[in-house]
Amino acid sequence: MNAASLRVAFLALFSHYRRHPGQLVMLLVGLWVASALWSGVQAINASARDSYARAEAMFSVRLDRIERRDGEPLSMHDYLALRLAGAPVSPLVESELELADGSQLDVVGIDPLTLPAGSGFRTAGGAATLTDFLLPPYLTRVAPETYAALQADDATPPVLADGRQLPPLQLAPELPPGLAVMDIAAAQALLEQEGLSHLLVAPEVTLDLPESLVRGHAANLAAPGQLTDSFHLNLTAMGLLALVVGLLIVHAALSLTLEQRLGLMRTLRALGLSARALVALLLTELLLLGLLGAGLGILSGVWLAQWLLPDVAASLDALYGKRLGSELILPWHYWLGGLAVTLGGLLTAGIGTLWRAARLNVLELGQAQAWRGQFLRQLRGMAVAGSLLWLVALGLLSWLAHQPPAQGLRLGFAMIAALLLGSALWLSPLLAMLLAGASRLLKRPLLQWAAADLQLQLPRLSVAMMALLLALSANLGVGSMVGGFRLTFLEWLDQRLVADLYLNPPTEQYAAVVDWLESRPDISALLPRARAEATLLESEDMRTQAPRQVGVYGVTPHPALTEHWPLLTSLGDETAAWQAFSQGAAMINEQLALATGLEPGQWLQLSSPTGVMERRIAAIYPDYGNPRGEVMLTASQLSERFQTSPDSIGIVLDRKMTSGDVTPLRRALVQHFGMSGDSLIDQREIQQRSTEIFERTFAITRTLNVLTLGVAGLALLSSLLAQTSQRRSQLAPLWALGVSRLPLAVIGVAQLAGVALITATVAIPLGLALTWCLVEVINVAAFGWRLPLHVFPGQIAVTLGLAVGVALLAALLPAWRLWRTSPRTLLTEFDAI
Amino acid sequence: MSPAKHSTRFRVWLALVLVALLLLILALQQRSTPPSESFAGLGEKAEEYAQARPGVTLHFPADHGAHPDYRIEWWYLTANLEDTEGEPLGVQWTLFRQALAPPGNDDTNDAGSPWSSRQLWMAHAALSTPDSHFVAERFARGMTLPDGKGQAGVEIAPFTAWLDHWRLESRVTDPAGDLLDRLLVSAQGNDNDHDFGYRLELTAEGPLVLHGKNGFSQKAADGQGSFYYSQPFYRVEGQVEIGGETRNVSGRAWLDREWSSQLLGPSQEGWDWFSLHLANGAKLMAFRLRGGGKGGDHYVSGSWISTDGQQTALATDDLWLTPVALSSVAGRQIPTRWRLRLPAQDLDVTVTARHPERWMDTSFPYWEGNVVVEGSHQGEGYLEMTGY
């Protein structure tokens, strides 16, 4: 065997694609789409992780923070008293600034000299610039992204909205975007603040703090790492699903092109090509195709990521307050990883065919029936494997049921993967059983033939149908989850936002504003709210023993509020729970209940400036979107025990007098107290803002979902198109027996639509199961709250229609081709047999 | 858990080393070769600082306070102590001041923020037992609140030098006496999870001693120098604390005061500095600046202080400082045994470190430790060596 003959053999094998360019296109499209989706998602993840690494490296993340219990800024004397007593605390000032172009910049002022060693010195400017950092005109240290956004040219420093200038910019690649770090002297002047936002201290330092101060432990500060991990795991799971679906297409297309070349391969073998050389040639072909497809895929994946990244950044920012660069930063291993995954998938998909090519019997003739016999064996294997996967899913489910909810994220995804794959594997056996039943039941010969013929087509269709099943159920599951979330969230927002207008009066004006408001006849209720921080002390009922930092939220239990405020579980009925609450009981949010295992009826202990307080839990309330555990008390109780005044007042208008229009009141408040727009928030504004955040959060999920469904449609189309020519030889005898082309074409379409319909019917319960898993397991683990399960019949109908539509679309082209096939061509089919 | 902790500790350590490099240069400018252009322009503005010159009369108590117009300054206390068991102990308490910008920049500095200051403070505390050496350091900027309080500084009435809770304060009640005659010094620190601290009362048994010519101490052949005086006559009583255990101690201490704007010549790379209490009641201060002498020799100088506090300035020809044995400390070769000869006083002694491991692993790493004097005279004291 020499190089020349190898070359001839390779050309012969490859010439197949010249005769069937469609197959080549489909193969490449499959590879391309699969790897594009996967690499897009991975690119987003990689880029986001880079941003986090920078955020995590920043001092505030790994250090404990000390704040005043009443939430007011700390004074310089608070700081100095601690320092002079030996406490190694470091001051920090933070706030937002508006730039001339209207954008916001977070400004943090630090004192590099007292920052705990190793935490933020790099952030402060490194060795060479400490003097510049500490002295006028100071330095503004920003990430490259922010630098580029701020600095139009090198000569002029960026200007604030009020015309003042920022200190000269300096690049700090280790900072997260959107953040400016400067010396505390510069920051205080710029932000016009005299106080300190909080103090930082290394976690290992033990401190005696005065009662007015409270220390938040780094580990308890909302653990953004875990939350963002959840988000990225979600994305990765979507990407993986897209990859599986894409590889199924590749598998379908690949088996077909190899199948059709079996004859050619036999000829080549008969001409003296060794089995090893044949496999090597096929492997080369696979690698070439894989490289091309993966390359295209990775490039478009990057493009896809660039398109989606602003949305990802926006939703992460909204969800967790994480800053993310909207610029794509890709590490080198990303490229290799993408290529490896795609090529690996391609080889796995092609390995069965390669195996057969290696063991090719030179003398055996291609027989559809023999192939079918093998397929039956394969079906049994699939059923067994599917059942095993289901068992795995069940096992994981029962195991997860006994775990604390927050720990089940990865296993939850594993369970979903097992459920989906198991069901996909069961699809073909199920279809085969149904068809066998149908061919027995159907009496009319043509229909009987249609069922039998479909059985014969099944091996080729099944992979495409599996892809369709996965995409449909994912679409349904994720769709219901997002839809359900949306419904619950909006309803909850409605219930929580009972006031028409929310007011944040400055502390010194507070009493005057309340007096003034109380004297107005058009107001039916005033609902002051207050906030504080506390430590939830150890209690024997709690699942985790370590004391944890919680938010304390004070509300006014006015009927206007209590009638709407949703409760999940309560001690007695809701009225009784609110009554208990008014009399001093506490309520806790779902996040805290899930994390600690506390239930209504149990007691909790909170630290407060006036000593430890013990409260009975009256109810658990839903608190979507809040990453933290929260305890709710009455506002008056909170003010008294935490020595803080309400930070905002909800104003409920008298419907009869105002018909709900807040404008007059708003205007009067501005006139009387000179309040700015910031301290007056309209209920509608909040709702609008929240809805926007929500929509952005799920934009990516939906985009990926639609793309996955599109991929599945492509899979179906490609496998159908690829086998049109083969179908001709199956149809030609029927035509010869006198069946005209129209019924034949209709039967073809109906066969596919039927299979698609069955697949979609299977996808519905699977999708619902998926929704349940997402809502009950994944969401609870990822976000800490549980959503009610919503089923959307309309969406199910759309999914069914979509499946059939995709199938019809895919079937129409072959049907049309058949319809256009000339009798002469059909006759020639007999030559081939 | 454990590897994560390790890596955190490693990072902390790494950052410390980085900070070290910076403050080493910033806080003790004299060690560095000429400041490079990139170094915040300090080099160019050097002449804008006040310069130490001969012929200036020192005034007390004013000169016990800070001299913000000079670039660098320190209050440097070392004590040779003994606990009730007779175990020798050493204590160091140092406050450094470093100006980040020359005087005249104060106006641009205020911006209404109490934080803004062109002064940077650094303090070192150390405690040596025969077998261990505990070191801590702290930093602060010269912030001042409207009521005059600050995180670090030196006040004259009543005399207090402090950084956070590390304090050196006057206990003098007699208005006629010098403010430094009675002092209370205290510090608590933590070195590698070992708590240590001390609280010592110092009583001067002799007068202040001005070095060089009336307090101007020349540091190089080309005339650069510093203002330099000492109070070497302290008797010490107090307590030291190691890992929660308190020991009563007594002994002798030496306070150095020095300020300058350009202490070192460009070619000087470090120094070896002795402050010795001799058994007969006399004191010897001696230093050797490596390089910077005539023709690149070492520049040697010192003071012989008689029991009643009379100072005799010593020059390169009077005084012989010779390293006789090196120890390997913190990866460097450091002379931990010296021969000191002062023929005019018939002094020929060997000065030996109590323990070679007295490396100050601070931002500005150097060797500082208690020493024993043997030979023609007996005694004890402190040795500081930098630039190795």
Side-chain angles (χ1 to χ4, degrees):
Chain A
M1 177 98 338
N2 58 30
S5 53
L6 263 183
R7 198 177 135 260
V8 172
F10 184 74
L11 285 179
L13 275 175
F14 216 77
S15 68
H16 173 78
Y17 292 115
R18 211 165 55 206
R19 273 176 288 135
H20 304 278
Q23 283 183 18
L24 183 64
V25 170
M26 283 308 153
L27 201 54
L28 282 177
V29 164
L31 269 174
W32 171 57
V33 175
S35 105
L37 276 181
W38 164 255
S39 24
V41 169
Q42 285 312 99
I44 290 176
N45 275 345
S47 190
R49 274 183 215 294
D50 172 79
S51 289
Y52 298 152
R54 288 192 269 161
E56 300 271 321
M58 243 190 57
F59 42 87
S60 55
V61 178
R62 258 185 272 114
L63 295 176
D64 289 359
R65 46 166 74 188
I66 296 167
E67 287 161 358
R68 279 179 66 107
R69 271 186 210 282
D70 57 13
E72 295 290 310
L74 290 114
S75 72
M76 298 282 282
H77 285 103
D78 291 335
Y79 165 71
L80 201 56
L82 282 172
R83 271 317 292 198
L84 293 180
V89 294
S90 186
L92 189 133
V93 173
E94 62 184 346
S95 189
E96 275 192 344
L97 279 181
E98 198 184 335
L99 297 171
D101 64 356
S103 60
Q104 297 282 325
L105 181 69
D106 286 340
V107 175
V108 169
I110 56 165
D111 175 31
L113 297 172
T114 49
L115 265 183
S119 53
F121 214 89
R122 289 193 317 144
T123 322
T129 54
L130 181 69
T131 309
D132 289 345
F133 190 84
L134 288 174
L135 293 181
Y138 303 110
L139 286 176
T140 308
R141 299 199 22 102
V142 289
E145 295 93 330
T146 318
Y147 189 96
L150 287 176
Q151 190 105 352
D153 60 277
D154 283 345
T156 45
V159 177
L160 297 181
D162 58 10
R164 291 180 304 153
Q165 286 188 339
L166 280 177
L169 294 186
Q170 193 196 29
L171 266 183
E174 66 277 12
L175 285 179
L179 177 76
V181 174
M182 59 181 73
D183 185 59
I184 192 161
Q188 272 191 334
L190 205 62
L191 302 170
E192 291 168 351
Q193 285 184 11
E194 285 182 9
L196 306 170
S197 308
H198 51 258
L199 304 178
L200 301 171
V201 68
E204 66 272 14
V205 172
T206 45
L207 283 183
D208 287 325
L209 290 178
E211 249 325 294
S212 61
L213 301 183
V214 62
R215 176 174 182 168
H217 287 278
N220 287 345
L221 294 172
Q226 196 204 336
L227 283 176
T228 41
D229 272 356
S230 322
F231 188 86
H232 288 294
L233 200 58
N234 271 309
L235 271 183
T236 309
M238 290 294 291
L240 214 56
L241 181 70
L243 187 75
V244 168
V245 170
L247 287 178
L248 285 176
I249 316 177
V250 174
H251 184 83
L254 210 59
S255 4
L256 193 78
T257 74
L258 292 173
E259 192 70 42
Q260 289 184 348
R261 279 184 286 176
L262 278 179
L264 176 65
M265 287 184 217
R266 265 189 212 101
T267 314
L268 285 172
R269 289 276 285 111
L271 287 173
L273 187 75
S274 72
R276 192 178 297 171
L278 181 62
V279 171
L281 285 178
L282 286 172
L283 210 57
T284 314
E285 183 195 313
L286 281 185
L287 277 177
L288 282 179
L289 285 173
L291 281 177
L292 191 61
L296 279 175
I298 289 174
L299 286 182
S300 8
V302 170
W303 175 83
L304 181 73
Q306 264 163 354
W307 181 53
L308 286 176
L309 197 59
D311 272 332
V312 175
S315 25
L316 281 174
D317 194 19
L319 268 181
Y320 313 123
K322 275 270 179 189
R323 290 183 202 84
L324 188 65
S326 45
E327 213 167 293
L328 211 55
I329 300 155
L330 295 176
W332 60 271
H333 51 81
Y334 157 80
W335 304 97
L336 277 186
L339 206 62
V341 165
T342 320
L343 279 181
L346 181 78
L347 289 180
T348 343
I351 211 133
T353 327
L354 283 177
W355 179 250
R356 279 168 64 197
R359 297 166 42 128
L360 201 62
N361 185 345
V362 183
L363 299 173
E364 192 188 315
L365 279 174
Q367 272 182 355
Q369 203 53 44
W371 198 49
R372 199 175 126 65
Q374 196 195 355
F375 182 65
L376 284 176
R377 275 196 303 282
Q378 210 177 329
L379 282 181
R380 272 194 294 279
M382 286 166 99
V384 170
S387 310
L388 279 178
L389 279 170
W390 274 350
L391 278 179
V392 169
L394 264 177
L396 281 173
L397 179 65
S398 61
W399 194 78
L400 279 170
H402 297 100
Q403 295 299 309
Q407 287 160 25
L409 195 57
R410 263 155 219 284
L411 284 177
F413 273 118
M415 181 185 81
I416 289 181
L419 173 73
L420 283 180
L421 284 179
S423 308
L425 283 174
W426 254 105
L427 182 68
S428 304
L430 182 75
L431 283 174
M433 277 193 282
L434 285 176
L435 286 176
S439 52
R440 267 198 298 278
L441 283 177
L442 292 169
K443 295 290 174 235
R444 284 183 60 188
L446 198 56
L447 290 181
Q448 222 169 12
W449 172 85
D453 173 66
L454 201 51
Q455 275 180 320
L456 204 61
Q457 285 191 52
L458 202 55
R460 297 206 179 96
L461 275 179
S462 68
V463 172
M465 284 300 157
M466 275 158 75
L468 186 66
L469 176 72
L470 286 184
L472 279 180
S473 42
N475 194 33
L476 207 60
V478 175
S480 315
M481 192 268 284
V482 175
F485 190 8
R486 187 169 200 278
L487 211 66
T488 315
F489 179 74
L490 293 181
E491 186 186 277
W492 168 82
L493 209 60
D494 255 355
Q495 292 166 332
R496 284 284 286 259
L497 298 173
V498 290
D500 299 287
L501 190 66
Y502 290 90
L503 188 63
N504 304 310
T507 321
E508 61 276 13
Q509 277 187 344
Y510 185 78
V513 172
V514 170
D515 282 347
W516 183 82
L517 285 171
E518 275 172 350
S519 68
R520 281 182 71 100
D522 57 347
I523 290 171
S524 75
L526 289 183
L527 309 172
R529 298 189 298 183
R531 288 189 183 279
E533 289 288 314
T535 309
L536 182 64
L537 301 172
E538 223 171 301
S539 88
E540 45 193 309
D541 300 327
M542 271 163 61
R543 198 175 282 155
T544 47
Q545 294 302 303
R548 61 168 62 220
Q549 209 64 27
V550 291
V552 188
Y553 187 38
V555 299
T556 311
H558 187 279
L561 180 106
T562 59
E563 277 168 17
H564 295 97
W565 191 288
L567 297 179
L568 291 174
T569 43
S570 56
L571 199 60
D573 63 0
E574 295 208 353
T575 328
W578 282 111
Q579 182 119 31
F581 178 75
S582 308
Q583 286 160 1
M587 293 189 178
I588 59 174
N589 70 357
E590 191 186 6
Q591 286 83 324
L592 188 63
L594 283 173
T596 59
L598 285 171
E599 289 168 13
Q602 291 181 336
W603 293 79
L604 55 79
Q605 283 192 323
L606 283 182
S607 69
S608 81
T610 53
V612 173
M613 50 193 297
E614 205 170 0
R615 289 290 179 273
R616 200 178 165 87
I617 300 168
I620 299 174
Y621 58 92
D623 198 8
Y624 306 118
N626 185 354
R628 298 189 62 190
E630 197 174 80
V631 175
M632 188 163 79
L633 301 170
T634 61
S636 54
Q637 212 186 155
L638 187 141
S639 300
E640 185 189 322
R641 297 304 299 265
F642 288 86
Q643 296 166 339
T644 166
S645 57
D647 59 356
S648 83
I649 311 169
I651 301 171
V652 186
L653 295 179
D654 190 325
R655 297 282 141 190
K656 283 177 217 128
M657 291 187 64
T658 59
S659 66
D661 184 9
V662 294
T663 326
L665 178 66
R666 216 189 163 113
R667 207 170 293 142
L669 274 166
V670 171
Q671 233 168 41
H672 262 81
F673 298 99
M675 274 182 193
S676 66
D678 290 353
S679 48
L680 283 171
I681 306 168
D682 206 309
Q683 183 204 31
R684 265 175 319 188
E685 268 174 61
I686 302 182
Q687 275 191 334
Q688 197 186 337
R689 222 180 291 167
S690 310
T691 319
E692 257 171 45
I693 290 174
F694 179 88
E695 300 296 348
R696 252 184 300 173
T697 307
F698 288 102
I700 315 122
T701 319
R702 272 198 288 250
T703 312
L704 288 179
N705 216 355
V706 168
L707 286 175
T708 315
L709 197 62
V711 170
L714 261 177
L716 204 58
L717 191 66
S718 72
S719 44
L720 287 177
L721 281 184
Q723 62 176 336
T724 347
S725 59
Q726 253 199 346
R727 294 282 303 138
R728 267 209 308 263
S729 58
Q730 307 284 342
L731 295 174
L734 283 176
W735 173 77
L737 290 173
V739 184
S740 65
R741 275 174 302 173
L742 180 65
L744 281 182
V746 170
I747 282 177
V749 171
Q751 276 176 324
L752 260 185
V755 173
L757 201 62
I758 295 172
T759 306
T761 319
V762 176
I764 290 168
L766 186 58
L768 290 180
L770 182 63
T771 317
W772 184 88
C773 291
L774 288 173
V775 163
E776 285 290 315
V777 182
I778 301 296
N779 248 321
V780 178
F783 303 106
W785 64 76
R786 186 172 278 131
L787 290 166
L789 183 68
H790 284 270
V791 176
F792 300 89
Q795 200 191 10
I796 294 176
V798 167
T799 309
L800 275 178
L802 211 62
V804 177
V806 166
L808 283 180
L809 203 70
L812 273 179
L813 196 58
W816 183 69
R817 273 202 194 165
L818 178 71
W819 173 244
R820 295 283 311 265
T821 310
S822 68
R824 203 190 147 273
T825 321
L826 285 173
L827 274 175
T828 56
E829 290 294 338
F830 293 97
D831 293 348
I833 296 175
Chain B
M1 194 69 203
S2 167
K5 214 168 189 176
H6 259 124
S7 78
T8 310
R9 207 168 272 163
F10 175 74
R11 271 197 299 270
V12 168
W13 183 84
L14 195 72
L16 254 169
V17 171
L18 283 176
V19 183
L21 274 170
L22 146 76
L23 282 147
L24 151 74
I25 307 165
L26 267 186
L28 290 137
Q29 195 66 33
Q30 60 273 57
R31 245 203 88 199
S32 77
T33 43
S36 64
E37 292 281 83
S38 64
F39 194 67
L42 275 180
E44 300 132 56
K45 289 180 186 165
E47 67 277 8
E48 294 173 36
Y49 288 98
Q51 298 294 323
R53 286 192 187 84
V56 174
T57 312
L58 299 187
H59 297 281
F60 300 105
D63 279 324
H64 293 326
H67 302 80
D69 292 349
Y70 291 80
R71 194 178 346 212
I72 46 164
E73 180 161 23
W74 56 68
W75 293 256
Y76 211 127
L77 185 86
T78 51
N80 293 87
L81 307 170
E82 218 178 66
D83 66 7
T84 42
E85 314 266 287
E87 197 170 65
L89 300 164
V91 156
Q92 180 200 345
W93 188 101
T94 315
L95 180 64
F96 301 93
R97 180 191 60 76
Q98 158 85 34
L100 295 175
N105 290 22
D106 300 67
D107 305 342
T108 52
N109 246 359
D110 70 344
S113 170
W115 294 105
S116 50
S117 165
R118 59 180 182 89
Q119 303 293 343
L120 193 141
W121 297 84
M122 172 172 84
H124 288 175
L127 173 61
S128 315
T129 66
D131 46 12
S132 34
H133 186 54
F134 305 102
V135 180
E137 68 181 327
R138 287 189 168 235
F139 300 96
R141 62 172 82 200
M143 57 167 294
T144 328
L145 296 193
D147 61 5
K149 287 189 180 156
Q151 196 191 333
V154 178
E155 276 170 9
I156 304 221
F159 176 82
T160 318
W162 81 98
L163 194 158
D164 292 343
H165 59 317
W166 295 0
R167 298 172 70 84
L168 177 68
E169 49 195 322
S170 173
R171 284 297 161 99
V172 170
T173 42
D174 173 13
D178 187 81
L179 282 179
L180 301 187
D181 279 354
R182 284 193 64 203
L183 291 176
L184 183 69
V185 64
S186 62
Q188 289 85 41
N190 181 290
D191 188 356
N192 273 325
D193 288 338
H194 295 286
D195 284 326
F196 72 94
Y198 47 79
R199 187 182 166 81
L200 308 172
E201 284 192 53
L202 319 174
T203 313
E205 294 179 327
L208 292 177
V209 175
L210 308 185
H211 296 290
K213 277 183 197 147
N214 295 319
F216 176 77
S217 162
Q218 195 174 323
K219 292 291 190 294
D222 63 5
Q224 293 172 62
S226 64
F227 292 115
Y228 182 15
Y229 69 88
S230 303
Q231 171 47 274
F233 291 107
Y234 284 120
R235 185 166 47 78
V236 183
E237 299 286 336
Q239 289 91 39
V240 302
E241 236 182 82
I242 302 166
E245 179 207 349
T246 306
R247 299 190 208 176
N248 285 318
V249 293
S250 59
R252 283 180 283 203
W254 180 308
L255 175 71
D256 268 350
R257 282 281 293 116
E258 190 158 14
W259 63 98
S260 172
S261 290
Q262 203 165 0
L263 200 62
L264 281 191
S267 56
Q268 292 173 337
E269 62 204 29
W271 65 74
D272 311 297
W273 209 292
F274 298 82
S275 55
L276 306 177
H277 305 274
L278 300 179
N280 63 10
K283 316 278 175 185
L284 174 64
M285 185 281 287
F287 62 85
R288 181 182 88 157
L289 292 159
R290 300 197 294 280
K294 272 186 188 125
D297 288 350
H298 301 323
Y299 185 86
V300 177
S301 179
S303 288
W304 173 260
I305 304 162
S306 67
T307 48
D308 59 354
Q310 292 300 311
Q311 177 254 8
T312 312
L314 308 172
T316 306
D317 304 336
D318 307 327
L319 187 63
W320 303 86
L321 308 177
T322 326
V324 290
L326 298 174
S327 298
S328 180
V329 183
R332 304 146 220 255
Q333 289 300 307
I334 290 181
T336 48
R337 181 191 286 263
W338 291 73
R339 185 170 176 204
L340 259 67
R341 278 175 296 159
L342 176 58
Q345 300 291 339
D346 293 327
L347 180 129
D348 185 346
V349 294
T350 311
V351 176
T352 315
R354 288 255 187 215
H355 196 292
E357 291 292 340
R358 292 291 183 258
W359 188 250
M360 302 286 289
D361 195 13
T362 46
S363 308
F364 158 51
Y366 57 104
W367 193 101
E368 169 101 36
N370 40 356
V371 292
V372 190
V373 182
E374 287 155 323
S376 66
H377 294 66
Q378 308 297 308
E380 58 187 350
Y382 252 80
L383 166 59
E384 180 187 53
M385 296 180 283
T386 70
Y388 287 97

